[in-house]
Amino acid sequence: MIYIELFFSFFQIGLFSIGGGYAAMPLIQHQVVDTHPWLTMTQFADIMTIAEMTPGPIAINSATFVGIRVAGLPGALIATLGCILPSCIIVMTLAYVYYRFRNLSIVQGVLAGLRPAVVAMIASAGISLLILSFYGQRALPNDLLDVNYISLFIWGAGLLVLRKWKVNPIFVIAGAGACGILLYSFL
């Protein structure tokens, strides 16, 4: 039964995660934290962090990690297959349709209409992770000044380094991890 739940949960994620892995984060969170309480919100944030750092698409990496956590290696394979299968079917179908009808203005209109939705989904995932990092909970607290200042400092430093000096994001992620280890170990 768990294998069927894993497959269909990640099949839904693969089916509706238009825009890539960052856009899929709210869908993954809904499935693995809210619908099926396989992970806590903290575990979800940890898995998303690991999924971002490992090579490959975030949604597929997270499917693999969640599958292993929930049902071992078979669970990882089934969750990953569930995440990949809709994309394969959709891409093959859309490629055929696009090449056949690419000159129609309605096709261009649909593609233009999807862009704002993808941006909103990415922003939603980012804001959810920021709130969890800064406040340690899923929703904003009543007292907005009750913030984790270490997390705020690491986030601000990472943002400054990314925007001002255009450092490779991989180095910023590694540096933020190292700062987190140092600051949380000694403070």
Side-chain angles (χ1 to χ4, degrees):
M1 185 67 177
I2 191 72
Y3 298 124
I4 294 170
E5 289 177 353
L6 272 171
F7 179 82
F8 282 114
S9 292
F10 281 97
F11 187 87
Q12 289 176 16
I13 292 165
L15 188 61
F16 296 111
S17 59
I18 298 170
Y22 294 111
M25 279 187 193
L27 300 173
I28 298 169
Q29 174 188 333
H30 176 72
Q31 285 294 326
V32 303
V33 176
D34 300 331
T35 303
H36 307 284
W38 292 324
L39 302 175
T40 65
M41 192 60 187
T42 303
Q43 291 170 327
F44 170 75
D46 292 343
I47 282 183
M48 285 294 108
T49 302
I50 293 168
E52 285 183 47
M53 292 174 52
T54 54
I58 293 170
I60 294 171
N61 289 345
S62 64
T64 305
F65 294 142
V66 170
I68 284 178
R69 177 129 171 93
V70 172
L73 185 59
L77 294 172
I78 288 170
T80 304
L81 178 66
C83 192
I84 292 171
L85 189 60
S87 299
C88 292
I89 295 168
I90 290 170
V91 166
M92 289 172 32
T93 304
L94 286 177
Y96 172 77
V97 170
Y98 180 74
Y99 280 111
R100 183 157 175 133
F101 303 108
R102 67 178 169 246
N103 296 328
L104 294 177
S105 62
I106 194 164
V107 172
Q108 298 302 318
V110 167
L111 293 174
L114 286 174
R115 286 185 199 114
V118 170
V119 170
M121 290 178 78
I122 293 170
S124 170
I127 291 169
S128 293
L129 289 174
L130 274 178
I131 290 171
L132 180 64
S133 176
F134 291 168
Y135 298 104
Q137 57 192 29
R138 290 180 62 179
L140 284 173
N142 292 333
D143 182 13
L144 293 179
L145 296 177
D146 188 24
V147 65
N148 182 332
Y149 290 104
I150 296 172
S151 292
L152 185 64
F153 169 76
I154 293 171
W155 176 79
L159 186 64
L160 177 72
V161 168
L162 279 172
R163 302 304 294 167
K164 186 168 183 168
W165 293 291
K166 310 287 187 211
V167 174
N168 186 328
I170 293 172
F171 296 131
V172 175
I173 291 171
C179 285
I181 289 170
L182 291 173
L183 292 174
Y184 283 106
S185 295
F186 298 111
L187 294 179

